[in-house]
Amino acid sequence: TLLVNMGDYEDYEENVPGHFHNSKWPNPRQRNNRPTGKDEALVWFMDFYQEDIAEQVDVRRLNKRNRFVRVKVRGKFRCHQCGKGWKSNMAWLSFDIKTQEVSRMYGQKCSNCKDFYSKPFPFFYSEHHWKFDGTTPWRDVVTKAIDFFVKKQSHSYDLNDQGDDVARDVEDDENWNTVIEDTGDGPHDTELCQMCQFLKRPCVRRRRNN
C-alpha cells in the first residue's frame, strides 16, 4: 500500500502551482549531473504530505545512509554523438530527501556508439502536457520517491541492503530481456546501463539472498 496514493490526483491537483504543468523537471535543472537547488515539486509534495511523513520519520534527523532513495522510471534518451534516440523503462533517478534535491540521474549508453552515458531527457509534470512523450510524469516520480523513502525509514525495507530500494521497484520477470518494440521494455543491456554498472549486477533483477 502506498503512503502517497498516486491515483488520487483530485486530492492535490487543484492546489498544485499552475506553473508545474508547463515546467520541465527536475526544476531547477541539474548542472553536470549535480543538483542546483531544491526540486520544486519534491518540496511541494513533501509539504502536502508532511503529516504522513512525520508519523514515520523526522526528516531533520536523517543520517547520510538513510536520506537517499532511488526510483525506477520510464525515460527518454538521445545520443549526442550519433543522434539515436530511445526510451527505457529502466531509467533511474536518485533523490536526497533531506535536502529535497534530485541528487543524480543515471544514464545509459547508446547501443551504436557505446562511448558515454546520456542522461534522461527532462520530464513533464503530467501526461496532459501537449508535448508529453510517454515518459513517467514527474508527479508520479516524486510521489513514488516519497513513498519509497517513508517505507524505508519505517523498516519495511532491510536497511542493511544498500540496493533495497532498487530491488523493491523491479519485478521477477523472466522475460526482462525480450524485445518489445517502441515500449521501452527491452532489451536491457547491462553493459550500457549506468545503474547496472553502479550496482555491479543487473538493475532489473532482485538481489538473491545467499
Side-chain angles (χ1 to χ4, degrees):
T1 302
L2 293 176
L3 165 77
V4 181
N5 191 333
M6 294 184 289
D8 292 341
Y9 301 143
E10 63 274 10
D11 288 349
Y12 51 76
E13 277 301 288
E14 64 180 14
N15 299 311
V16 169
H19 72 274
F20 277 20
H21 297 276
N22 297 318
S23 299
K24 293 184 178 181
W25 301 91
N27 186 26
R29 296 185 67 175
Q30 293 188 317
R31 184 178 297 115
N32 297 323
N33 205 23
R34 299 292 182 184
T36 57
K38 296 183 177 183
D39 183 77
E40 287 189 45
L42 181 59
V43 171
W44 191 91
F45 276 98
M46 287 190 67
D47 182 67
F48 186 84
Y49 289 106
Q50 61 179 321
E51 293 183 4
D52 299 295
I53 296 171
E55 288 180 0
Q56 303 292 337
V57 60
D58 184 348
V59 176
R60 298 169 300 178
R61 296 185 177 183
L62 281 175
N63 59 33
K64 186 174 182 180
R65 179 182 179 85
N66 294 333
R67 61 197 282 180
F68 295 98
V69 63
R70 294 190 291 262
V71 177
K72 177 172 66 67
V73 301
R74 188 174 195 226
K76 181 178 180 181
F77 302 83
R78 175 168 292 141
C79 176
H80 299 293
Q81 185 165 305
C82 72
K84 177 183 177 180
W86 69 96
K87 290 180 181 177
S88 173
N89 286 336
M90 297 294 171
W92 292 90
L93 307 176
S94 177
F95 289 84
D96 184 333
I97 300 297
K98 187 171 185 177
T99 63
Q100 300 179 314
E101 296 173 332
V102 179
S103 57
R104 186 171 183 181
M105 302 177 75
Y106 291 85
Q108 295 185 3
K109 290 182 179 180
C110 169
S111 60
N112 292 334
C113 300
K114 301 181 180 180
D115 285 339
F116 55 88
Y117 292 111
S118 296
K119 304 306 175 190
F121 273 36
F123 295 82
F124 297 99
Y125 173 77
S126 80
E127 62 276 9
H128 301 301
H129 194 283
W130 68 281
K131 286 187 176 181
F132 182 65
D133 54 6
T135 56
T136 305
W138 195 249
R139 166 201 65 211
D140 296 353
V141 174
V142 168
T143 52
K144 190 176 184 180
I146 294 172
D147 181 71
F148 277 13
F149 165 74
V150 171
K151 288 179 178 177
K152 187 174 183 178
Q153 309 312 313
S154 62
H155 303 285
S156 293
Y157 292 169
D158 177 4
L159 297 183
N160 294 317
D161 182 355
Q162 185 178 12
D164 55 16
D165 48 343
V166 174
R168 294 284 178 156
D169 198 34
V170 300
E171 299 294 334
D172 281 325
D173 184 358
E174 295 303 322
N175 297 317
W176 66 272
N177 204 35
T178 301
V179 178
I180 305 176
E181 295 295 336
D182 300 324
T183 66
D185 286 324
H188 185 68
D189 191 332
T190 58
E191 295 298 320
L192 305 179
C193 173
Q194 192 172 23
M195 177 59 86
C196 290
Q197 297 305 307
F198 174 75
L199 295 174
K200 296 181 174 59
R201 61 181 173 88
C203 72
V204 297
R205 289 190 173 175
R206 294 174 186 268
R207 175 177 292 180
R208 306 296 185 184
N209 293 325
N210 295 327

